Amino acid sequence: MDWDDLRIALAVVRHGSLSAAARALGTTQPTVSRRLDAFERRTGAKLFERAKEGLTPTPLCAALIEGMDRMEEGALTVERRLAARDTGLQGSITVTSLDWFGDYVMAPIMARFGGLHPLVSLALINDGRRYNLSRGEADIAFRPGVFDQEDIIERKVAEIAFGLYASPAYLEQHGLPDFGSGCAGQSILMLHETAPRTPLTDWLRNIAPDARSILRTNGIWSQLAAAESGEALAVLPRLLVDKRLTLRRIETPRPGPVLTVRMGVHQDMRKTPRMRAFMDFAVRELELRAAELNPR
């Protein structure tokens, strides 16, 4: 029995559709459909009921899921241990980060490391999705909040200060916010609520409870662009915005929020020479920028 066939079936179960499974596996929907059909014909086992609404696991498939999960974990353990063998400073490192922090902070750090170590192949993925380090979707993650997997080793590496900003055009039209009145008459931009960013939305609601939210977005870059357009106030990273002439930081009755960024790596990978070298390098670089990341 080919493990790849079982892996495809497991991905369809987990993600609920052929297209979602294909994205997770890094392949195409026709390939997933063809491989799944061939697997069912070869084994004589019907694993899914097909309908317009999508694919539903049959009772047989549901009974096999636990075994497929164990097979996948075994295969991933073998892959991680092979990847963690002592090969020196060569091989690949995939880093996942979030939104502006990956673009503005991690990309330059990774480029410098890549310049020093030409045999290391580096890849940066900036995505709101939390990549699973245990399943090898990435090697190292830099993100706010905590890691919820037991086999992940994490370390606090940075603190990011945020402030409240508006464009000169917005302030000319609406005036400075009156925090004593709850910022009535003001417009604000909000982030979609996710656990790592809850402190930002809670802080803004606290100082401006009567302001009107005119837009929710899932990223800092979109917040920045909307604030620069002159339509609303926004909570933004000071590192990214303080030097911009297009926005002005507004004094607030409470200090701006601070998000803690943590680095996470799977315990099987942390002592690999290339991983260890990159993590040490990244931590040093972030320490050098600590005053920029969290200005007092």
Side-chain angles (χ1 to χ4, degrees):
M1 186 171 292
D2 189 341
W3 161 241
D4 278 346
D5 291 330
L6 290 173
R7 187 166 63 96
I8 286 174
L10 187 58
V12 174
V13 171
R14 282 187 178 140
H15 299 283
S17 70
L18 295 174
S19 58
R23 287 193 296 271
L25 294 169
T27 185
T28 64
Q29 179 178 335
T31 298
V32 171
S33 179
R34 185 173 62 253
R35 291 286 299 274
L36 189 60
D37 290 343
F39 180 51
E40 288 184 322
R41 286 196 304 270
R42 190 166 62 253
T43 60
K46 187 175 183 181
L47 299 179
F48 295 93
E49 299 289 351
R50 274 78 166 171
K52 291 182 179 179
E53 296 77 17
L55 279 69
T56 304
T58 63
L60 172 61
C61 183
L64 295 176
I65 289 173
E66 183 179 352
M68 288 191 287
D69 279 333
R70 287 198 301 268
M71 289 179 69
E72 181 191 47
E73 183 54 40
L76 289 169
T77 298
V78 171
E79 289 177 5
R80 285 196 302 267
R81 290 177 180 173
L82 285 172
R85 68 193 185 280
D86 187 357
T87 56
L89 293 183
Q90 58 182 317
S92 64
I93 301 175
T94 299
V95 173
T96 176
S97 190
L98 182 65
D99 195 32
W100 77 275
F101 188 80
D103 291 336
Y104 199 73
V105 179
M106 292 311 304
I109 290 174
M110 293 179 67
R112 284 193 288 274
F113 183 83
L116 294 171
H117 303 286
L119 297 182
V120 177
S121 174
L122 293 162
L124 174 62
I125 304 172
N126 288 329
D127 199 320
R129 182 167 77 87
R130 295 173 72 86
Y131 280 72
N132 191 317
L133 303 185
S134 297
R135 300 192 183 282
E137 294 178 347
D139 298 311
I140 303 171
F142 292 84
R143 61 193 184 206
V146 297
F147 293 79
D148 53 10
Q149 295 170 296
E150 294 181 359
D151 50 4
I152 301 302
I153 306 299
E154 64 179 82
R155 173 179 177 177
K156 174 183 170 181
V157 293
E159 289 188 332
I160 310 297
F162 286 73
L164 184 66
Y165 294 87
S167 72
Y170 176 88
L171 293 174
E172 183 177 346
Q173 181 177 355
H174 298 276
L176 284 168
D178 181 359
F179 297 104
S181 68
C183 295
Q186 300 285 343
S187 298
I188 56 174
L189 303 167
M190 301 288 285
L191 285 163
H192 287 303
E193 292 208 37
T194 58
R197 288 171 167 168
T198 299
L200 303 182
T201 54
D202 287 349
W203 180 82
L204 185 54
R205 285 199 185 100
N206 184 276
I207 66 167
D210 296 324
R212 185 170 69 96
S213 173
I214 64 168
L215 175 67
R216 287 183 180 271
T217 76
N218 67 346
I220 292 296
W221 290 119
S222 53
Q223 296 267 311
L224 174 59
E228 285 183 323
S229 74
E231 299 301 325
L233 305 160
V235 181
L236 298 166
R238 291 189 57 185
L239 171 70
L240 194 62
V241 188
D242 272 356
K243 295 181 181 179
R244 287 176 178 257
L245 299 179
T246 53
L247 290 170
R248 173 182 164 189
R249 185 162 62 91
I250 298 167
E251 292 297 325
T252 54
R254 295 177 57 187
V258 176
L259 287 188
T260 296
V261 176
R262 289 179 169 84
M263 175 180 68
V265 62
H266 193 278
Q267 60 186 6
D268 290 347
M269 303 293 288
R270 71 186 190 280
K271 293 184 179 179
T272 308
R274 67 183 185 279
M275 301 294 178
R276 184 74 270 160
F278 173 74
M279 290 189 292
D280 290 345
F281 182 85
V283 168
R284 287 195 302 271
E285 291 285 304
L286 290 169
E287 287 174 348
L288 290 173
R289 300 193 69 182
E292 295 178 77
L293 295 168
N294 186 15
R296 303 300 180 182

